[in-house]
Amino acid sequence: MWWRSASFILDRQQHQNNGVAPNPESLLLSSPPPSMADSALNPKSDVSAYYQSRASHHAVVTSDWLDQAQAAVDRHTDDGDSLGSDGIAAPISGGGEESGKAFSVIDEFNNWRKQPDLAEAVAAIRALAAVIRTSEATTMMELEIELKKASDSLKSWDATSISLTAGCDLFMRYVTRTSALEYEDFNSAKSRLIERAEKFGEISCKARRIIAMLSQDFIFDGCTILVHGFSRVVLEVLKTAAENKKLFRVLCTEGRPDRTGLRFSNELAKLDVPVKLLIDSAVAYSMDEVDMVFVGADGVVESGGIINMMGTFQIALVAHNMNKPVYVAAESYKFARHYPLDQKDMAPALRPIDFGVPIPSKVEVETSARDYTPPQYLSLLFTDLGVLTPSVISDELIQLYL
Amino acid sequence: MDSRRSARTVSDPKVRQVGFFTPAAPPERTCSDPPRQQDLIQPQPPSSTQVNDHSPSGDSLSPVMIPPPPHHHSDTLLRTALQVTSPKTAFSYSAKTVTIPAENDDVPSSLSPSRKVVTVRSPSSYPGVRASSVPASELTTVSVVNLPPGISEKAGGASVEVQNDRPVSSKSLKEKTSKAERRALQEAQRAAKAAAKGEGTKASSAATKVVTSANTKPSKAAKPSSQKNDGSQFAASEKKAGDRAPEKDRKKDAPHPRMQYDDTSRVEKAKKRAVVKQTEVRNRVELFRHLPQYEHGTQLPDLETKFFELDPMHHAIYKVGLQYLSGDIQGGNARCIAMFQAFKEAIKDYSTPPEKTLIRDLTARISSYVSFLIECRPLSISMGNAIKFLKNRIAKLPLALSESEAKATLMSDIDRFINEKIIVAEKVIVKHAVTKIRDGDVLLTYGASSAVEMILLHAHELGKQFRVVVVDSRPKLGGQLLLRRLVRKGLSCTYTHVNAVSCIMQEVTRVFLGASSVLSNGTVYSRVGTACVAMVAHAFRVPVLVCCEAYKFHERVQLDSICFNELGNPDAISKVRGREDINYLDGFVNRENLQLLNLVYDATPSDYVSMIITDYGMIPPTSVPVIVREYRREHLWS
């Protein structure tokens, strides 16, 4: 499932470009490398990297989307390629050195990301750990600055991905806020940092397993579970439940326009779990036969609410109204220091939508890919820190960040 | 906007409603246990009429509940209720009264006035007074602290019965007692009180007391009128002894930041100490009798004449006190800073008297300053926190430090507090809050909050395009000052009064509110009217952002705005300045049946608050206790 992780499409395009005979874009290599800020930023386009990855994963390819994605990706590959060459060649401009390093982080990040089942945030964590390992800094301060730069470039690489940002922030917190910094000897301090970084990476890797174990108590025989979107955590939860010989039924929403539900139902069918597909608008219709709603999260925000695939909010509303519990499975590296007040109060992740028929140019299309579900509609969050109520999220965040 | 627990919302208003019923509406009040009361009424001697009962009860104590009619006394015996905070407080007081008389057996003879004490009915004496008439300090403690069962056991045979099966036993007791018996009992009580004064401790007598108390009640009821006059004085003097012990106990677990002003004995005591002579307003609203309310404008001349006589008070403190009194300094931060500046000057001029240590003497000195300031105006919660900080710093001073060093340390601590906790904190809040303002927003604010003002100005400086709605209310009209500053800076503003808030709310996209304090259940304690604005905003699904520095957080929990509040000058609402034609209330102010309520603060339940912006970032109201837990210790007590 690695190809699902955000921004994968960028690499794929990049690799294709590299593998295939030089295409027109490569000519641009001769142009002077853009500044780091430009390169690190995802090209401004209608399509967020967040969605691009999803799209590539779900193979929703429309001509409209292709155009947009192509445009975006081309620009990005320019940056990436030029940076890549920059990394190899001697730094040209003043900022060259920095951008070279920045690229190496992203490179590392991308390498990690290719591992199946490795979440984006974990890949980022691994990449940052690699930064420490390869760092040539000679003082703690230098190392910290280097790390900070690396994480900044990772974050700005895909500003719309909450878990990437949160993962980087958490790593910085976890690694730098330690007594290691007080070690007199730089090398021992550094090795301690690496140690912590590795440990953090491991913890993050195990998170999904822990969540799956924790949630088993909540799935009882004969229950009907409604899922929305494709969440690897939720899949893991259900897989574990199936392995434990629990008898349950799953209702999958279709998940337009990505058809995430279709994929999810495929996975479940492989596990011999009875699955039923619903169109997204049939949620309220079938809510009375549902015992619980299980969703993943792109990000868990400070209010205790979640940001997740479009449609989560309305499912939560319906469930809340019918007194069905809404459970969220989310790893703790998705806890982000955001506090959206309403739906529009977050960086939008846009996605193209294929309606199957051409849309007149005068008609506007809502292209946001995510929505925000306020905490009062959530029952519990299953995280690797335990089963939490929404209000504990802020508690944890305060302890992590302050 | 996000109500976190929707269920709770419903219950709150009910409580408040109860508060505004006049004494004439007994059914509401008595609802706690109607059947019992009725039972009780019957046994009582005919002399105590319902009407009479009401008036005393009206005076009564309980901050939360409206005082139950007098027949409760018997009732209350049984359930010695706990504290002021519990809804049954009314009972607790009466319970005390009951227990008092205990010692007939021990001291049969002595004085006649005892009855009077018990039955005091003058408007000024509140039920608390009666309660305070408890003779022995320990007794009171028992009644206050212990739950009913405990008492009954201690009280021994007769009392036990009474308490365990209320309706029956109490009735029977009353019926049995003849006039002579009652008389004897009362005398005994008096004796007990007298003894208590002397000794202050007579735990042994507890058992008998309960019984006697039951008996005494009817007699009290019978003689309401005659006793009015002398009663209060007696009560006051006697209570002193009795009340001390419970005070101590209370302090251990939950210190009461404020005096309960319906507790006459303490009020009397406080008055003796007081520098500022405050005249109390006569007609006060039932529910708020535990709060101090004074005639405004009477104290100033008095204080002025005393200016040179008061040597213990530092002149800077004096000045600040006067400014509080006259309302020249308003707003939590301003008051806090002014207080600290005054303390700083006082510390600067301080020199340790011979044979005293700086740590102890200075703490005592600060305490006396603080009590002076409280006399001028009740402390805000933020000031309480600041004082706690200062006292802690003093206590933590190393003994080895020389006086000048110690003073320098303290002064720099004070500066640091002002700087870090107030000035920088506000800047951080502004930084956070500005991220929540988008172009095209319509921001509503209520009253005048310094933090909100800075936010709006900063957002304007950043070039954000937004409109401001300033909502204001009589009598303070603080919003006009804010409005003036905003308009001068070129912001486009709308000004309206709180009456119109429901009309204006539909165009609003964000509500920014200041706060006097945020309590640990997320309740926002702020200028009166804030709750109203927040509720309307919630109803319109407009997010409510509360801006509050973390030093104003308090670990207390408060469910209503009754237990702790401040009463403003009632004249301010009865008269309209500059409108001679609105003089309908002229000459009515001192009418018995008119009560004016000018509340200063109210409590906004956390359900109506979407976010609290503090110097630690933006947090949901549920996280206030986390901040209190994680940071308060560290900063205040380290």
Side-chain angles (χ1 to χ4, degrees):
Chain A
M1 263 159 287
W2 51 276
W3 57 84
R4 201 186 141 260
S5 76
S7 60
F8 161 71
I9 186 158
L10 298 183
D11 320 303
R12 200 172 55 174
Q13 295 276 346
Q14 197 174 321
H15 287 295
Q16 281 169 357
N17 285 348
N18 291 344
V20 181
N23 47 18
E25 279 92 22
S26 59
L27 292 177
L28 292 172
L29 279 176
S30 53
S31 67
S35 75
M36 180 190 154
D38 291 343
S39 67
L41 278 174
N42 222 10
K44 223 183 170 188
S45 68
D46 295 351
V47 188
S48 71
Y50 164 81
Y51 178 68
Q52 291 167 11
S53 60
R54 280 185 169 258
S56 73
H57 165 31
H58 303 301
V60 185
V61 178
T62 65
S63 58
D64 177 35
W65 177 81
L66 259 188
D67 290 343
Q68 291 182 356
Q70 191 60 47
V73 167
D74 284 351
R75 253 176 294 161
H76 190 84
T77 34
D78 293 348
D79 300 346
D81 283 352
S82 57
L83 273 172
S85 64
D86 182 30
I88 300 157
I92 304 165
S93 64
E97 194 176 24
E98 283 164 28
S99 52
K101 267 174 194 153
F103 179 72
S104 77
V105 179
I106 291 170
D107 211 17
E108 181 78 30
F109 170 59
N110 288 340
N111 282 337
W112 279 111
R113 220 153 32 84
K114 281 171 200 139
Q115 281 196 13
D117 271 341
L118 201 59
E120 202 177 18
V122 180
I125 288 162
R126 288 273 158 88
L128 288 174
V131 170
I132 301 182
R133 222 176 290 117
T134 58
S135 161
E136 288 151 18
T138 50
T139 64
M140 220 49 218
M141 197 59 99
E142 230 178 300
L143 182 61
E144 230 182 305
I145 291 172
E146 207 169 293
L147 207 54
K148 179 90 175 62
K149 269 191 191 137
S151 89
D152 280 350
S153 60
L154 267 183
K155 277 195 272 180
S156 53
W157 185 79
D158 180 2
T160 49
S161 164
I162 295 166
S163 66
L164 179 60
T165 314
C168 288
D169 285 349
L170 275 178
F171 180 86
M172 293 298 288
R173 280 283 153 183
Y174 186 82
V175 170
T176 57
R177 210 170 67 158
T178 157
S179 55
L181 300 180
E182 287 151 24
Y183 278 61
E184 303 241 329
D185 176 16
F186 174 73
N187 282 331
S188 64
K190 191 173 158 186
S191 61
R192 206 179 140 137
L193 278 190
I194 294 173
E195 193 184 300
R196 277 180 78 89
E198 299 286 344
K199 198 171 152 219
F200 188 62
E202 271 168 39
I203 294 174
S204 312
C205 274
K206 282 187 206 140
R208 227 173 269 162
R209 268 315 312 144
I210 297 171
I211 294 169
M213 299 311 294
L214 282 175
S215 55
Q216 290 311 303
D217 293 342
F218 292 83
I219 298 174
F220 51 89
D221 276 343
C223 67
T224 305
I225 302 173
L226 177 70
V227 296
H228 180 66
F230 189 107
S231 159
R232 279 171 290 185
V233 199
V234 173
L235 183 58
E236 179 88 22
V237 167
L238 297 182
K239 216 188 250 174
T240 316
E243 280 162 11
N244 290 348
K245 309 268 186 264
K246 302 218 177 194
L247 300 172
F248 60 96
R249 198 160 69 103
V250 177
L251 302 187
C252 272
T253 56
E254 178 196 7
R256 282 263 304 148
D258 314 353
R259 311 228 179 103
T260 47
L262 295 179
R263 249 202 94 71
F264 199 80
S265 57
N266 275 344
E267 296 288 334
L268 287 176
K270 281 185 208 157
L271 300 171
D272 284 336
V273 175
V275 191
K276 192 191 214 176
L277 264 176
L278 313 170
I279 54 172
D280 292 328
S281 36
V283 166
Y285 168 79
S286 40
M287 188 56 84
D288 57 352
E289 55 178 309
V290 168
D291 291 306
M292 65 188 80
V293 177
F294 245 106
V295 291
D298 286 339
V300 181
V301 296
E302 196 148 5
S303 60
I306 57 166
I307 293 175
N308 195 27
M309 182 189 159
M310 184 66 84
T312 309
F313 181 35
Q314 69 198 27
I315 289 177
L317 274 176
V318 172
H320 180 78
N321 199 30
M322 300 201 181
N323 285 330
K324 312 287 182 184
V326 179
Y327 298 133
V328 178
E331 302 92 329
S332 64
Y333 54 74
K334 286 177 175 168
F335 290 10
R337 290 216 83 191
H338 288 267
Y339 199 135
L341 285 167
D342 49 37
Q343 300 298 330
K344 304 284 153 57
D345 194 15
M346 42 185 186
L350 303 179
R351 67 170 172 204
I353 298 174
D354 175 26
F355 287 94
V357 287
I359 304 289
S361 60
K362 282 180 199 162
V363 175
E364 226 185 317
V365 176
E366 174 62 66
T367 53
S368 181
R370 308 184 291 211
D371 61 14
Y372 163 62
T373 309
Q376 65 263 39
Y377 303 111
L378 306 178
S379 311
L380 289 172
L381 293 114
F382 301 136
T383 75
D384 43 318
L385 306 175
V387 179
L388 310 177
T389 60
S391 60
V392 183
I393 301 298
S394 160
D395 191 335
E396 296 291 343
L397 276 170
I398 288 171
Q399 294 191 12
L400 282 170
Y401 282 101
L402 291 179
Chain B
M1 190 176 195
D2 6 349
S3 64
R4 319 196 119 241
R5 285 148 283 151
S6 48
R8 244 201 65 205
T9 354
V10 189
S11 63
D12 280 350
K14 258 188 207 161
V15 176
R16 284 190 200 116
Q17 249 188 354
V18 175
F20 291 98
F21 281 88
T22 52
E28 294 292 341
R29 302 178 193 164
T30 51
C31 57
S32 61
D33 49 357
R36 245 180 260 144
Q37 287 183 354
Q38 280 160 4
D39 290 342
L40 295 170
I41 296 174
Q42 296 166 355
Q44 281 184 340
S47 57
S48 70
T49 60
Q50 287 275 6
V51 182
N52 285 341
D53 295 343
H54 283 298
S55 65
S57 66
D59 299 344
S60 73
L61 22 140
S62 83
V64 181
M65 267 191 72
I66 303 178
H71 27 268
H72 280 263
H73 291 300
S74 51
D75 197 356
T76 45
L77 293 182
L78 323 175
R79 36 159 101 180
T80 31
L82 279 185
Q83 268 303 332
V84 186
T85 46
S86 78
K88 296 171 184 174
T89 14
F91 295 110
S92 72
Y93 284 106
S94 51
K96 284 182 200 165
T97 12
V98 178
T99 44
I100 304 164
E103 294 188 355
N104 349 349
D105 305 358
D106 306 345
V107 194
S109 64
S110 71
L111 349 162
S112 56
S114 66
R115 279 187 202 167
K116 291 174 186 175
V117 177
V118 182
T119 44
V120 175
R121 299 261 158 128
S122 71
S124 61
S125 70
Y126 326 94
V129 178
R130 271 175 247 145
S132 55
S133 58
V134 178
S137 57
E138 257 131 55
L139 295 181
T140 20
T141 7
V142 174
S143 63
V144 177
V145 179
N146 291 345
L147 296 173
I151 297 181
S152 63
E153 261 120 42
K154 285 181 188 176
S159 62
V160 177
E161 287 177 17
V162 176
Q163 289 165 347
N164 291 346
D165 30 356
R166 287 176 197 171
V168 186
S169 63
S170 63
K171 272 188 209 171
S172 61
L173 271 180
K174 282 174 199 165
E175 280 159 7
K176 279 176 201 164
T177 54
S178 67
K179 239 192 182 180
E181 278 173 348
R182 273 182 247 136
R183 231 243 140 98
L185 285 177
Q186 286 163 0
E187 280 171 357
Q189 297 165 10
R190 288 208 71 221
K193 282 172 203 162
K197 270 190 210 168
E199 302 170 11
T201 58
K202 283 208 177 184
S204 61
S205 55
T208 39
K209 284 167 195 171
V210 182
V211 185
T212 45
S213 64
N215 298 335
T216 40
K217 278 165 217 158
S219 67
K220 288 178 204 167
K223 287 195 180 185
S225 58
S226 65
Q227 293 138 354
K228 275 185 189 173
N229 303 332
D230 17 4
S232 58
Q233 299 151 1
F234 282 100
S237 59
E238 278 160 358
K239 282 152 206 169
K240 279 181 201 165
D243 277 353
R244 236 166 253 153
E247 266 327 291
K248 273 178 204 157
D249 277 6
R250 272 182 221 157
K251 267 174 197 161
K252 270 176 216 156
D253 26 354
H256 282 258
R258 284 185 198 161
M259 195 157 100
Q260 300 293 299
Y261 280 78
D262 47 358
D263 184 346
T264 339
S265 71
R266 304 193 64 223
V267 172
E268 290 292 325
K269 256 194 295 176
K271 265 193 189 159
K272 272 179 211 159
R273 276 187 275 113
V275 179
V276 191
K277 283 278 173 294
Q278 307 256 36
T279 335
E280 286 190 29
V281 169
R282 274 193 67 224
N283 297 330
R284 300 197 284 176
V285 179
E286 303 300 336
L287 264 186
F288 296 92
R289 283 185 185 276
H290 57 291
L291 303 171
Q293 180 160 62
Y294 301 117
E295 303 268 12
H296 281 244
T298 54
Q299 326 89 330
L300 270 182
D302 187 47
L303 260 185
E304 275 161 16
T305 58
K306 273 194 186 167
F307 185 80
F308 295 102
E309 302 164 20
L310 294 165
D311 39 278
M313 210 54 63
H314 190 273
H315 59 86
I317 306 285
Y318 209 86
K319 186 174 142 201
V320 173
L322 287 182
Q323 283 171 325
Y324 287 170
L325 197 61
S326 61
D328 285 349
I329 299 186
Q330 287 187 343
N333 287 341
R335 279 169 75 196
C336 197
I337 292 175
M339 178 184 73
F340 258 3
Q341 301 287 16
F343 281 164
K344 224 175 93 183
E345 287 209 19
I347 290 174
K348 200 163 99 195
D349 297 343
Y350 170 84
S351 63
T352 318
E355 312 210 349
K356 287 195 177 172
T357 57
L358 177 132
I359 293 179
R360 285 170 172 262
D361 187 55
L362 189 57
T363 312
R365 201 58 82 76
I366 297 282
S367 303
S368 76
Y369 295 158
V370 170
S371 57
F372 169 75
L373 294 181
I374 293 177
E375 282 160 24
C376 295
R377 187 178 164 186
L379 293 185
S380 66
I381 292 174
S382 55
M383 288 162 78
N385 284 340
I387 290 165
K388 229 186 264 174
F389 163 82
L390 179 62
K391 284 196 174 167
N392 195 266
R393 299 313 298 190
I394 296 176
K396 291 266 168 71
L397 283 176
L399 280 174
L401 230 51
S402 77
E403 188 182 301
S404 60
E405 281 171 333
K407 279 160 65 179
T409 325
L410 285 180
M411 285 178 350
S412 74
D413 277 343
I414 289 179
D415 278 337
R416 195 166 55 88
F417 186 92
I418 294 177
N419 192 40
E420 280 179 13
K421 297 281 166 195
I422 302 177
I423 296 173
V424 174
E426 218 159 50
K427 283 188 187 142
V428 177
I429 289 175
V430 169
K431 209 184 77 199
H432 286 300
V434 162
T435 63
K436 290 294 165 200
I437 301 179
R438 296 170 300 188
D439 281 351
D441 265 350
V442 180
L443 312 177
L444 183 141
T445 182
Y446 175 73
S449 155
S450 55
V452 172
E453 181 185 334
M454 287 174 71
I455 291 165
L456 298 178
L457 292 180
H458 187 64
H460 182 67
E461 278 165 22
L462 292 182
K464 304 213 178 197
Q465 300 297 315
F466 61 93
R467 237 155 34 82
V468 180
V469 179
V470 178
V471 177
D472 208 352
S473 70
R474 289 206 68 238
K476 280 202 172 163
L477 298 178
Q480 295 193 350
L481 189 64
L482 173 71
L483 188 71
R484 181 189 157 90
R485 294 191 195 128
L486 294 182
V487 169
R488 204 186 259 164
K489 293 269 177 170
L491 282 82
S492 81
C493 297
T494 308
Y495 179 78
T496 183
H497 273 207
V498 75
N499 323 20
V501 72
S502 60
C503 307
I504 200 92
M505 193 57 82
Q506 47 196 338
E507 56 180 281
V508 173
T509 57
R510 296 268 189 279
V511 174
F512 280 89
L513 296 174
S516 168
S517 177
V518 179
L519 309 175
S520 66
N521 58 343
T523 300
V524 174
Y525 184 70
S526 187
R527 180 97 184 29
V528 70
T530 304
C532 167
V533 173
M535 286 180 205
V536 174
H538 181 258
F540 280 82
R541 304 269 141 195
V542 179
V544 176
L545 297 89
V546 172
C547 309
C548 183
E549 299 85 351
Y551 86 99
K552 291 177 175 173
F553 286 11
H554 198 278
E555 64 267 20
R556 187 205 296 160
V557 167
Q558 191 171 327
L559 301 174
D560 53 45
S561 35
I562 300 169
C563 292
F564 299 97
N565 211 320
E566 192 181 324
L567 297 180
N569 183 359
D571 286 345
I573 52 170
S574 63
K575 290 177 190 150
V576 184
R577 254 178 310 161
R579 287 287 300 274
E580 297 309 322
D581 51 325
I582 304 183
N583 55 358
Y584 314 116
L585 288 181
D586 283 2
F588 276 77
V589 172
N590 283 331
R591 290 286 275 267
E592 284 281 337
N593 54 353
L594 170 65
Q595 296 161 337
L596 296 169
L597 177 64
N598 179 12
L599 276 182
V600 176
Y601 295 107
D602 66 14
T604 309
S606 60
D607 305 333
Y608 305 123
V609 179
S610 322
M611 172 195 284
I612 294 174
I613 306 178
T614 96
D615 26 334
Y616 295 112
M618 298 180 280
I619 57 168
T622 48
S623 287
V624 175
V626 183
I627 297 278
V628 172
R629 154 162 55 87
E630 300 281 315
Y631 296 101
R632 260 298 215 46
R633 303 248 162 257
E634 175 184 322
H635 291 292
L636 278 185
W637 281 278
S638 62

PDB file of all heavy atoms in Angstrom, chain A residues 56 76 188 300:
ATOM      1  N   SER A  56      -3.337   8.446  -7.087  1.00  0.00           N
ATOM      2  CA  SER A  56      -2.488   7.455  -7.728  1.00  0.00           C
ATOM      3  C   SER A  56      -2.812   6.085  -7.170  1.00  0.00           C
ATOM      4  O   SER A  56      -2.834   5.095  -7.885  1.00  0.00           O
ATOM      5  CB  SER A  56      -1.033   7.779  -7.444  1.00  0.00           C
ATOM      6  OG  SER A  56      -0.734   7.473  -6.113  1.00  0.00           O
ATOM      7  N   HIS A  76       7.061  20.091 -10.390  1.00  0.00           N
ATOM      8  CA  HIS A  76       7.773  19.568  -9.238  1.00  0.00           C
ATOM      9  C   HIS A  76       9.002  18.772  -9.666  1.00  0.00           C
ATOM     10  O   HIS A  76      10.059  18.874  -9.060  1.00  0.00           O
ATOM     11  CB  HIS A  76       6.872  18.677  -8.398  1.00  0.00           C
ATOM     12  CG  HIS A  76       7.522  18.330  -7.107  1.00  0.00           C
ATOM     13  ND1 HIS A  76       7.467  19.160  -6.020  1.00  0.00           N
ATOM     14  CD2 HIS A  76       8.304  17.285  -6.771  1.00  0.00           C
ATOM     15  CE1 HIS A  76       8.164  18.634  -5.046  1.00  0.00           C
ATOM     16  NE2 HIS A  76       8.685  17.487  -5.470  1.00  0.00           N
ATOM     17  N   SER A 188      28.651  11.614  22.063  1.00  0.00           N
ATOM     18  CA  SER A 188      27.718  10.814  22.857  1.00  0.00           C
ATOM     19  C   SER A 188      26.324  11.420  22.790  1.00  0.00           C
ATOM     20  O   SER A 188      25.329  10.703  22.750  1.00  0.00           O
ATOM     21  CB  SER A 188      28.187  10.723  24.304  1.00  0.00           C
ATOM     22  OG  SER A 188      28.174  12.007  24.871  1.00  0.00           O
ATOM     23  N   VAL A 300      -5.439  14.385  13.950  1.00  0.00           N
ATOM     24  CA  VAL A 300      -6.259  14.593  15.142  1.00  0.00           C
ATOM     25  C   VAL A 300      -5.860  15.956  15.681  1.00  0.00           C
ATOM     26  O   VAL A 300      -4.679  16.203  15.914  1.00  0.00           O
ATOM     27  CB  VAL A 300      -5.990  13.502  16.190  1.00  0.00           C
ATOM     28  CG1 VAL A 300      -6.862  13.719  17.400  1.00  0.00           C
ATOM     29  CG2 VAL A 300      -6.250  12.137  15.596  1.00  0.00           C
TER      30      VAL A 300
END
